[in-house]
Amino acid sequence: MQRLKLFLPLLVFVLLAAVFFGVERRVMTGDYAPTDLPSALIDKPLPDFVEPALSDGRPINKSQIVGELFLLNVWATWCPTCHFEHPFLLKLAAEGIKIVSIDYKDEAEAAKRWLAEKGDPYSLTLFDEDGSLGLDLGVTGAPETYLVDAAGMVRFRYQGALEQKIWDKEFAPRIAELNAQGSTP
């Protein structure tokens, strides 16, 4: 029995290593994404809200942003991954993709300065200082991006930084499908 106790740490290590390598293999092949969490909003309307615009504080509600397909991007200046994602969002905006953003649990002046320095890819930025809109959306952290159709229905959510590979795999096919269905005006 004493001899068996000597091998117990080795056995635990081998078991944990097998689990780790199994998950890593699934991540590398695309079978598993650790950031995939289900969203209760998929195929449901964007929640009603009234939030101030970051630029001038005027109240903005849902009816002012729906009517065409758009991305709803949740970001903050305190989010390092948002800094990585930002150049790609600028590229998308330059290609004509409408992006509305939510500055999530941030400081307004820091966010304005950040957009002035790095460029502003957003057609509108909502300032969600207390995180209430983020809570209604089910935001778990920044960045998150939602695909919203012309009727205001949430069609997809992605957690993490957008980049070309993610865009081509997750967003472009969905947008093409929505366009084919006539979901954009």
Side-chain angles (χ1 to χ4, degrees):
M1 185 69 161
Q2 293 291 13
R3 191 175 253 183
L4 186 59
K5 286 182 183 179
L6 291 174
F7 289 102
L8 190 58
L10 179 61
L11 184 61
V12 169
F13 172 77
V14 169
L15 181 63
L16 288 175
V19 169
F20 172 77
F21 286 114
V23 170
E24 180 161 354
R25 183 178 163 281
R26 289 183 60 209
V27 168
M28 297 303 281
T29 61
D31 293 336
Y32 174 77
T35 58
D36 282 350
L37 293 174
S39 173
L41 287 180
I42 301 302
D43 296 327
K44 293 193 169 89
L46 193 64
D48 290 323
F49 64 86
V50 175
E51 293 288 340
L54 177 66
S55 60
D56 58 12
R58 75 185 185 282
I60 304 293
N61 63 47
K62 179 172 94 170
S63 67
Q64 293 170 278
I65 64 171
V66 298
E68 65 180 300
L69 184 135
F70 67 96
L71 299 179
L72 182 62
N73 180 255
V74 179
W75 66 279
T77 59
W78 49 260
C79 163
T81 310
C82 298
H83 290 263
F84 170 79
E85 170 185 66
H86 197 76
F88 186 70
L89 296 175
L90 288 167
K91 177 182 177 280
L92 290 177
E95 293 173 0
I97 302 295
K98 179 182 176 183
I99 310 170
V100 174
S101 81
I102 299 172
D103 182 26
Y104 180 66
K105 293 185 177 182
D106 208 353
E107 296 177 13
E109 291 309 312
K112 289 177 187 177
R113 190 171 46 254
W114 196 67
L115 292 173
E117 291 171 3
K118 294 182 175 285
D120 189 350
Y122 309 117
S123 61
L124 174 70
T125 296
L126 305 169
F127 184 56
D128 188 18
E129 183 175 22
D130 65 358
S132 58
L133 179 54
L135 183 64
D136 290 344
L137 288 168
V139 170
T140 59
E144 286 189 18
T145 304
Y146 297 79
L147 176 61
V148 182
D149 72 13
M153 301 292 282
V154 176
R155 297 302 179 184
F156 181 66
R157 174 179 81 168
Y158 182 77
Q159 297 168 283
L162 290 185
E163 57 185 354
Q164 193 66 55
K165 180 179 170 184
I166 300 299
W167 180 260
D168 292 343
K169 180 180 178 190
E170 302 291 350
F171 285 87
R174 286 177 170 90
I175 291 171
E177 182 180 336
L178 288 169
N179 286 334
Q181 294 172 357
S183 294
T184 59

